[in-house]
């Protein structure tokens, strides 16, 4: 249906006054409906005495129809975040091989890119970051309620006896999905079944949920009579810091490392090996222990959030990715061994936000492009790049802590005074 | 300096070939430098055989100079994420009073807005969400190294004796900053001093860091001789799940609640009180206990990430905000009491990404605008809205779990099949 | 060598004055050496002006030689703790079958036995506790230091390729030991290998340590060149609350359950199903969540400590055993389902303190006696009894919380006023 | 009533057959009732075909009446554990001054005393352990249920307005009790009030419970109408590892330290500073981080359990005491700084098991005797000694890990082969 200016005003007025719901615009194109919604918000604000103009919000360059149907109901426009690049960053790993890369980061936080860029320079000068990635896979854990020990035993026995059928049912929902393991956990009458899948180049949460739904509704409930209380029972654990993920991993489990010679420490990072070891002990070990934190690092979250935003990863997964341990170790001749350990990094090369316009451009720049002949390799590449990028961030930030005039120097830069402090 | 096309190509080529650093474009306007950087990336990719065109990335509508100097070094363009609205959502609280609001959310995750919108409808029909906000404030904890018990005692005694001077030094760095408390923690020879500040409408991390820097470098180190090892000692704790924040809070500590009558449960949320209580027990309590998680909720992180992105909050703070407890309690006549507890929600009405174009529009829509006569009230309002929004998300998602055909229904919707599962 | 009174006085004087070490009495019988040590302490105290007489300490009835050589260097006497019985307690399980039992408990804490006894009565009247035991086994995790990712990969590859040799080496140290699994965990350059063994009726810590020593020193170090830094790397985890044990279990993993009819609740426990469910929610779930505790129970530790002491288990293992979840669920007709989940309960029927005189008597009373034809069955029986005993304690204590006059009633009993509160 | 042999047999038979409860012997002396109970157990065992003789169990030397009425209902005898001494151990602290001490330890675990003794020797040779004790105090946290935010606010406002009355009511229950603080925590409709008391020389759990009962039942419930669901709401947290105790402390918070010169490391501990630092990093830091443990130490629990048993402390409190951090730091000339941090050590000089015969003797040996003029000083002394003893244990065990032939050497000692491994 065509949207005239008059019609737009009328519809917007109705929404602003609560006579029409935001989603009741299905007869219009996504772009037109978005325009109506923005106009409705302006009118709504005017009624409260605010002179709101939603100008920037309407300024997008992705496909509105796709955005409205696949990503964002009640679609109205865009959130824009500045994006820049760091690099060249040399990365070595099974998927990436050995490449120089420029890494896109989107953030509102001044000093972040400058800091990661310095770390990238240090890594590249030292021969690159070596990254090891384990494809733990995506997990989903439905919660069941039994009548007690006897029924719990029956349920677990059924599961043992029907592994092949369960696998077939689960894997039948997607040709990229593979059921790796089911870990049961029983607390009283609550039984949690943690399904672990690998899912090729997708992050896999959606595929895992659908597969679990099939297994639960087509097999477990009808054949055992045990009721599923929630398809996700939080033993997954999705987007919450958790010890089960810390222990067993989720998504990709990543270690990235580099040995920095003394001259790189001195010239690029303005620091020394012994100072880095000292900050590591007091801050990342003692401090995090005092805090009862699952993050024994200076600041994984900032670099990850910026990379996740630019490349269309699920932003809420930064919650899991922020867990991990940084490590520094003095080596002969004043060199330092540095590494980051990230047990829970869910990333994708396809699906979710990876198909949006700016995100797709960022992924192409990184070479994170699905190769039909090597399913999963692009997601692994993404994880290797993420590991190297986080390592770059840690190197620079930790070095900054060893320089006592950090905050002051930052402050002199005027507004960009924010130390990206962990 | 003016940027001709030829010059752009030359500079881009230099960057692509590693002969020029990304930041070595300071003689150009931010927009021109961004164009060079994008072009450099295209050339870099071409050299690898990829036909990259950074088109969407160049399509932004914020102030490039501001973006480049305040938010994002090596500025090159934009990351665009689709944005929509949910509402009207009725919110009640000390800052917001009692208002109907439309809440902007930016996400790539299909089904999220539809879900939160349904929860908002349920809340509004039930008389609105009541939100209580405690302004815990922002924390920063430098780490010191002493020679042992004797020097630790001296340091702590000095701190006791010099409270007023410390406060004056700290508060002298900003007229909005107020030092509320210093909590010391000693482990062996490591002493952590957790400074807690309130900071008006700012999130305060930057202000807290600068204030701590002053206190450490102008007072503590020179007067006690105790060395500061890191200005942030991770006992803060910034952007990592931590028990110290769970215990003591950080940013705003928020509780949002609503009592949903049976008819709203039945008509809007398609559920029942007893079913919600059962899912709460098995998933959010038993499941999270089994997982060793600090998130006893279905999915705070998704709603928060979408709200933080649209309103210019620090995305990495979602890591902290994802901690918390949802609660359901059956009331007479089939009603249900529902609440969310969020001990650690750092939000701002000013600073960080709040000044960017689309983010500023979103904040204006929410009425989150600084009032010079009432410093801090806009940030409180932001926290109240965040609490109500997260509550809306929990209501809808938890209700979906009580409906066994969830995943299938979602799937029928085609691509938007992803249950926003927690 | 014979000990005359004069010699005793002389030797004691030498020890008291620091001229002889406590252990330098190897030429005497254990009983005589103990007498010298007690006398030395008396003299040492006299020199400080204290009139100490170590009379009770000398009053023991176990074999002094065995005590001195197997249990307690510098042996000097005994610590005596009052012991009583609770029961009859009906227990059902794979090892115990279905029996009525009296359970010995040793404690200094008034009200504990009365409380557990009441719970035992309630269980027995309700048909007994059903207990499920999984023999997870004992773990030991040596810590290694590699040079980085490459060497770590080599170490793990070696381990994969040499599983059979490792198993043979480990199991060759004891005919009761069986290596079930090795879980590797790599953080930076630290590699932890968590060996998990089953060990028949022994608790297994000692056997596991010796087996790991052999594997490390005879195979891993010489063949891989990777250095073992500590034979126990705390990823075991021994005698510390830990999420790895919470997740993966240690010793025995136990669930004990009972359904209590309304009349038992009312007559024996003076409570109601709905009240128990309410206390469970507020205290064991919300309270422990607020506390960040791994103990979602009222008080496992008290009953366990008393049972471990009476039966010669390792007292420090109460640290691990205190982790766990209690669960209450209302059933039709006012009945309540109750259970305890204990993921980490290391117990033994042989070895450690089980061979001492009073401890052996207590184990015999419980029927925890090794059966050579069914290795491991006695330790399982011990775990089943422990589960039922802890359940009894929870039932009584949780019921007491539902009765508001608890503390006052206790107080009226005079000194025995201490509520065994959790 | 006098107990003839015939009567004993009759009563025992009745108990063994379930016709008489264990506690139905109130007309007899404690010793006689104990004899009946032991005989009942023998008869009960005979009926199952076991020839049980409870001989050692009857061999005690404490006051049976006191044991039966104050410590152990259904009193029947004793649990005996071998006891020995370590020392001399030099301890320095505010309470202990500077003294050489012999420390009694009771354990069934071979090698423990030898190990602690070696650590004590190293400490004493190095000038003694310096111990700092903070009397955090005992906590108890009742759980309340409100109707929501409004009533919660009223409750907290009432508490603010009635602080003096609450204090008076609480402190009126004991002249040694002092209310230091009340920390409220609200999650949904659950309000937890964590009362913190200091309690002189008593451990204080009993006193805190009675005081809370008074405040709750005489003031809070009647005046606010808010219902207390459980007098202990687990936010205390008693006898469970918990982050609230880790953060805020409980009982005594203790740091004990020593600087060990190279010759002591070399001669007494057979180790080197750099090796200790390496084991500390890989085991107590990385290993415990990998394990998600709250115990960043080698083995606090063993030494504590042995000391708690010998001195009549509450054994279940070892659960809390096992939390903590060990620290090693290399100093010039090959010396090492070593310390233990124990945030949660509940100890007493009076009350609980401290009045029993062997326990009283042990406390007198330690000089832990209440001084009416200095209330609390004896409990502080106890905490200082505990800190120094745990430090001794850590020094020796950590040194043993640096010596690769540890397990083998132990094994050669025959039965005493158990490395007291952490």
């Amino acid at each position: 249906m065509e949207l005239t200016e008059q019609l737009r005003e009328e519809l917007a007025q109705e929404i602003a006054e609560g006579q029409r719901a935001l989603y009741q615009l299905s007869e219009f194109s996504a772009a037109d409906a978005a325009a109506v919604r923005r106009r409705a918000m302006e009118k709504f604000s005017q009624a409260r005495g605010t002179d709101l103009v939603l100008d920037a919000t309407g300024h997008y360059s992705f496909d509105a129809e796709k955005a409205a149907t696949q990503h964002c109901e009640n679609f109205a426009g865009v959130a824009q975040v500045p994006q820049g690049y760091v690099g060249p960053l040399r990365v070595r790993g099974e998927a990436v091989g050995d490449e120089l890369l420029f890494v896109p980061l989107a953030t509102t936080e001044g000093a972040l890119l400058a800091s990661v860029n310095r770390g990238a320079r240090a890594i590249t000068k030292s021969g690159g970051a070596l990254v090891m990635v384990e494809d733990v896979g995506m997990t989903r854990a439905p919660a069941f309620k039994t009548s007690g020990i006897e029924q719990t035993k029956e349920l677990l026995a059924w599961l043992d006896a029907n592994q092949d059928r369960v696998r077939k049912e689960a894997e039948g929902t997607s040709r990229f999905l593979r059921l790796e393991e089911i870990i049961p956990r029983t607390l009283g009458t609550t039984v949690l079944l943690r399904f672990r899948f690998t899912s090729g180049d997708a992050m896999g949460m959606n595929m895992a949920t659908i597969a679990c739904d099939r297994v639960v509704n087509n097999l477990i409930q009808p054949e055992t009579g045990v009721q599923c209380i929630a398809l996700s029972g939080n033993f997954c654990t999705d987007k919450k810091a958790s010890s089960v993920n810390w222990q067993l991993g989720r998504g990709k489990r990543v270690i990235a490392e580099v040995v920095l010679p003394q001259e790189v420490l001195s010239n690029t990072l303005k620091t020394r090996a012994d100072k880095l070891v000292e900050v590591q002990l007091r801050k990342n070990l003692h401090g995090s222990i005092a805090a009862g934190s699952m993050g024994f690092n200076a600041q994984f979250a900032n670099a990850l959030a910026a990379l996740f935003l630019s490349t269309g990863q699920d932003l809420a997964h930064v919650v899991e990715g922020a867990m991990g341990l940084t490590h520094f170790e003095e080596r002969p001749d004043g060199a330092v061994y540095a590494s980051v350990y990230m047990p829970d990094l869910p990333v994708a090369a396809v699906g979710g936000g990876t198909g949006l316009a700016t995100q797709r451009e960022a992924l192409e720049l990184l070479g994170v492009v699905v190769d039909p002949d090597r399913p999963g390799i692009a997601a692994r590449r993404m994880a290797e790049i993420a590991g190297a990028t986080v390592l770059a961030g840690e190197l620079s930030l930790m070095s900054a802590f060893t320089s006592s005039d950090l905050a002051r120097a930052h402050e002199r830069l005027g507004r960009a005074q924010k130390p990206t402090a962990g």
Side-chain angles (χ1 to χ4, degrees), chain A:
Chain A
M1 189 173 172
E2 201 191 350
L3 184 70
T4 63
E5 187 175 332
Q6 188 190 339
L7 185 52
R8 193 192 65 194
E9 292 297 303
E10 286 172 12
L11 292 166
Q13 192 65 34
E14 287 173 24
I15 291 173
E17 291 174 359
Q19 292 157 8
R20 177 180 288 269
L22 280 162
Y23 57 84
Q24 292 177 318
L25 296 167
S26 56
E27 59 273 45
F28 300 102
S29 74
D32 282 352
V36 173
R37 291 188 186 107
R38 292 198 302 276
R39 187 69 189 122
M41 294 303 106
E42 291 173 354
K43 285 176 174 287
F44 174 77
S45 295
Q46 281 172 340
R48 296 189 316 182
T50 309
D51 193 24
L52 176 68
V53 182
L54 290 174
D55 205 20
T57 305
H59 193 84
Y60 53 87
S61 56
F62 44 66
D63 178 339
E65 289 299 335
K66 203 175 146 205
T69 53
Q70 290 183 19
H71 299 293
C72 187
E73 299 81 29
N74 296 347
F75 170 69
V78 68
Q80 295 182 32
V81 177
Q83 183 174 181
Y85 303 110
V86 298
L89 170 64
R90 185 171 170 190
V91 184
R92 294 185 291 132
E94 281 183 19
V96 89
D98 185 343
E99 283 192 25
L100 279 176
L101 292 163
F102 287 96
V103 180
L105 298 175
T107 187
T108 66
E109 188 183 11
L112 177 61
L113 270 91
S115 180
V116 178
N117 199 51
R118 184 171 71 141
R121 204 158 58 237
I123 287 174
T124 302
K125 282 185 181 176
S126 303
L130 176 62
V131 192
M132 175 169 70
V133 170
E134 180 193 354
D135 191 2
V136 176
M138 190 40 56
T139 53
R140 182 51 92 199
F144 298 85
K145 174 187 178 176
T146 73
S147 58
I149 287 174
E150 291 304 340
Q151 199 183 28
T152 296
K153 281 183 176 174
E154 287 167 25
L155 171 60
L156 299 183
W158 181 94
L159 207 63
D160 265 354
N162 290 274
Q163 286 183 26
D164 289 344
R165 293 175 62 215
V166 165
R167 179 181 317 276
K168 202 176 159 192
E169 184 78 28
E171 296 183 355
T173 58
S174 162
R175 66 189 172 101
F176 295 108
L177 202 68
R178 193 179 153 157
L179 176 57
E180 302 286 347
E181 186 186 29
I182 305 175
I183 296 181
R185 188 63 38 90
T186 307
L187 299 88
T189 54
T190 300
V191 180
L192 303 152
L193 299 180
R194 192 179 197 255
F195 288 74
R196 179 164 68 84
F197 302 95
T198 46
S199 53
D201 287 304
M203 179 264 280
M205 188 74 270
N206 191 20
M207 290 154 70
T209 304
I210 290 171
C212 283
D213 173 76
R214 286 296 189 287
V215 171
V216 166
N217 286 302
N218 296 356
L219 293 179
I220 298 180
Q221 290 199 136
E223 300 197 9
T224 69
V226 177
Q227 190 191 353
C228 177
I229 299 296
L231 200 53
S232 159
N234 276 18
F235 189 56
C236 315
T237 301
D238 193 44
K239 298 169 182 171
K240 300 161 196 79
S242 77
S243 65
V244 70
N245 292 8
W246 178 264
Q247 291 300 332
L248 306 182
R250 195 167 191 248
K252 313 295 191 218
R253 198 197 299 253
V254 178
I255 299 182
E257 74 180 14
V258 66
V259 178
L260 302 155
Q262 188 182 12
E263 61 270 23
V264 175
L265 291 177
S266 169
N267 296 340
T268 306
L269 295 174
K270 317 291 181 197
T271 188
R272 288 204 323 252
D274 58 343
K275 287 188 174 185
L276 287 169
V277 169
E278 185 80 26
V279 174
Q280 170 66 16
L281 175 70
R282 307 291 171 178
K283 171 187 173 66
N284 289 351
L285 298 176
H286 284 181
S288 287
I289 284 169
S293 173
M294 287 191 211
F296 301 87
N297 56 71
Q299 193 50 278
F300 285 5
N302 279 343
L304 273 185
L307 182 63
F308 274 34
L309 180 53
S310 68
T311 61
Q313 311 301 324
D314 193 327
L315 283 174
H317 273 142
V318 174
V319 176
E320 298 175 44
M323 299 193 298
L325 172 78
T326 292
H327 177 54
F328 285 97
E329 196 175 301
E330 198 170 351
R331 291 281 166 95
D333 297 326
V336 91
Y337 167 94
S339 68
V340 291
Y341 168 64
M342 313 179 72
D344 179 0
L345 189 70
V347 290
V350 69
T354 62
L356 284 160
T358 62
Q359 288 81 343
R360 179 48 48 199
E361 292 175 2
L363 288 166
E364 284 176 8
L365 171 60
L366 290 171
V368 176
V369 181
V370 171
D371 177 348
D373 296 337
R374 301 172 73 201
I377 200 76
R380 273 181 180 273
R381 183 183 173 98
M382 184 69 226
E384 288 173 359
I385 294 168
T389 305
V390 167
L391 177 61
E394 290 293 288
L395 290 178
S396 181
L397 180 54
M398 290 292 284
S399 298
F401 281 118
T402 64
S403 159
S404 66
D405 59 355
L406 163 73
R408 296 181 180 207
H410 274 258
E411 198 172 4
R412 277 195 302 272
L413 299 174
R415 178 59 191 78
Q417 76 258 58
K418 178 161 36 176
T420 314

